Amino acid sequence: MKAIIPVAGVGTRLRPHTFSHPKVLLNVAGKPIIGHIMDKLISAGIDEAIVIVGYLGDMVEDWLTKHYSIKFTFVNQPERLGLAHAIWMCKPYLSKTEPLFIILGDTIFDVDLEPVMNSPFSTLGVKDVEDPRRFGVAVTDGEKILKLVEKPDTPVSKHAIVGLYFLQQAGLLLDSIDHLIDNKIVTKGEYQLTDALQLMIERGEKFTTFPVSGWYDCGKPETLLSTNKILLKNNTARLKTYTGCIINEPVFIADNAILENAIIGPNTTIGEHAVITNTIIKDSIIGNYAKVSSIMLNHSIVGNNAGITGNPNEINIGDYSEIRLG
Ligand code: UTP
């Protein structure tokens, strides 16, 4: 089955890191966000992916084709007009009758996809949330979805839509998006996938929901760090011994990173070829080739090739930054 993965966005909320890297290539718990997603999809039997690229799309394409051998089609979305528009760009590569799985490129999930892919109906992944006002939600009759409501003011449903969509037939979705685009129906300035799905419901398509208990957002610095913490708990890679260092697991430390006189962890990712000396780091992500010395870092993100030495304890610096304090 084909998966569509939209990753054309700029990732503004993760600047400065997304100035030099597309969001989906940011490292979380030892591999890029999209690596976690691809591993799940492939183990669920996805053998072909249509990846919608835009901002820094060449980097995404390079990384995916180097690391995975399934069939990829890269579709360029030059203008980011919304998720429905992104899916619509894939039209030439889809047959109307084939089933389709759509997953947002910045959502790491933990769910058994096998029953989802075999579902007799179209189905949307949902997670129950206490405050649904920030999400699109699905109102159900206990079995099928009655309607979808984007960011409801009143608590009509707790079932937040999390970015995993299985559709029985691509054609019905594409027809609904055609309708949005032909009639310029936009919500908050974008062609919304939720609007297209709502139209499908109105046109008689039966949708159910499936529960997604593990849903890890990576869209903001604080969620990237909390996702890093959660995913590191599953890291089973064996650690080397580092003389003069204390390692508090869970951590991910790239094999070729150099650690001297350091206390690392818990909940810390150290990237490839990073050099860490005389330093205490916890709850943080340190990029590839970063140099960190004589400092205590907590709840911090240090970009690739960045260097920091001194004594603050909470920072968020992008690739190639150079900071000397104290
Ligand atoms: P987001 O709006 O959450 O991601 O879209 P973003 O735009 O990258 O991040 P911010 O808001 O600027 O910080 C969710 C997913 O849908 C893709 C994005 O790339 C992201 O993976 N998307 C969204 C597209 O591919 N095209 C679009 O037109 C809209």
Side-chain angles (χ1 to χ4, degrees):
M1 189 183 301
K2 274 182 201 157
I4 295 193
I5 315 173
V7 299
V10 174
T12 45
R13 288 166 299 158
L14 270 169
R15 286 177 178 163
H17 307 285
T18 46
F19 281 131
S20 45
H21 278 80
K23 172 163 65 178
V24 294
L25 290 191
L26 297 182
N27 189 328
V28 57
K31 64 182 151 188
I33 295 168
I34 195 143
H36 291 275
I37 295 172
M38 288 307 301
D39 291 347
K40 292 270 186 203
L41 291 179
I42 289 170
S43 65
I46 292 288
D47 53 8
E48 191 175 340
I50 303 181
V51 186
I52 302 147
V53 290
Y55 178 70
L56 301 177
D58 291 352
M59 290 171 82
V60 180
E61 186 168 342
D62 270 7
W63 193 86
L64 283 175
T65 47
K66 263 191 201 119
H67 289 84
Y68 297 94
S69 53
I70 65 164
K71 180 174 180 219
F72 284 109
T73 305
F74 293 93
V75 175
N76 189 33
Q77 186 194 21
E79 273 187 290
R80 197 177 164 278
L81 299 180
L83 260 184
H85 177 262
I87 309 296
W88 187 75
M89 299 293 299
C90 306
K91 213 172 169 180
Y93 308 98
L94 297 171
S95 90
K96 287 210 153 200
T97 50
E98 71 182 319
L100 201 59
F101 189 72
I102 302 172
I103 172 160
L104 302 190
D106 56 357
T107 307
I108 299 176
F109 58 92
D110 195 3
V111 64
D112 180 6
L113 285 180
E114 213 192 299
V116 176
M117 309 263 183
N118 291 315
S119 162
F121 304 108
S122 294
T123 182
L124 309 185
V126 294
K127 182 170 168 71
D128 283 3
V129 293
E130 276 318 308
D131 181 2
R133 282 172 299 184
R134 290 189 299 124
F135 304 95
V137 295
V139 181
T140 71
D141 64 2
E143 192 209 342
K144 67 175 193 306
I145 299 180
L146 299 173
K147 64 174 175 174
L148 303 172
V149 186
E150 196 56 49
K151 303 193 177 67
D153 292 329
T154 50
V156 283
S157 164
K158 284 186 170 182
H159 305 318
I161 304 166
V162 301
L164 299 175
Y165 312 83
F166 170 75
L167 297 161
Q168 283 291 332
Q169 291 200 3
L172 294 173
L173 174 65
L174 294 172
D175 291 347
S176 297
I177 303 179
D178 274 343
H179 179 83
L180 297 184
I181 292 179
D182 290 348
N183 295 288
K184 299 196 170 40
I185 300 172
V186 292
T187 305
K188 298 197 170 74
E190 294 191 357
Y191 292 111
Q192 302 282 357
L193 184 56
T194 314
D195 289 343
L197 297 171
Q198 174 61 30
L199 201 56
M200 286 175 74
I201 293 169
E202 284 164 21
R203 290 175 170 185
E205 175 75 352
K206 178 169 174 180
F207 274 95
T208 58
T209 59
F210 62 95
V212 179
S213 53
W215 169 41
Y216 312 120
D217 178 50
C218 296
K220 298 182 283 182
E222 57 276 25
T223 57
L224 194 68
L225 286 170
S226 58
T227 296
N228 182 55
K229 178 175 176 174
I230 291 164
L231 297 181
L232 281 173
K233 289 195 187 113
N234 305 328
N235 181 27
T236 49
R238 290 196 52 194
L239 283 172
K240 293 199 312 201
T241 314
Y242 297 92
T243 353
C245 295
I246 297 173
I247 311 294
N248 297 315
E249 294 191 61
V251 295
F252 170 89
I253 301 174
D255 257 359
N256 48 20
I258 298 172
L259 268 53
E260 282 171 18
N261 191 24
I263 303 177
I264 307 292
N267 313 319
T268 297
T269 290
I270 307 283
E272 306 272 329
H273 299 282
V275 180
I276 315 288
T277 46
N278 304 320
T279 283
I280 301 176
I281 307 177
K282 65 175 183 171
D283 293 297
S284 296
I285 300 175
I286 309 298
N288 299 336
Y289 293 93
K291 289 196 171 62
V292 181
S293 67
S294 309
I295 200 168
M296 273 174 65
L297 291 182
N298 181 14
H299 213 254
S300 300
I301 306 174
V302 175
N304 299 328
N305 301 287
I308 180 154
T309 176
N311 61 5
N313 66 10
E314 188 165 320
I315 57 164
N316 178 12
I317 61 169
D319 300 354
Y320 295 96
S321 311
E322 189 72 49
I323 299 188
R324 294 163 204 269
L325 297 142

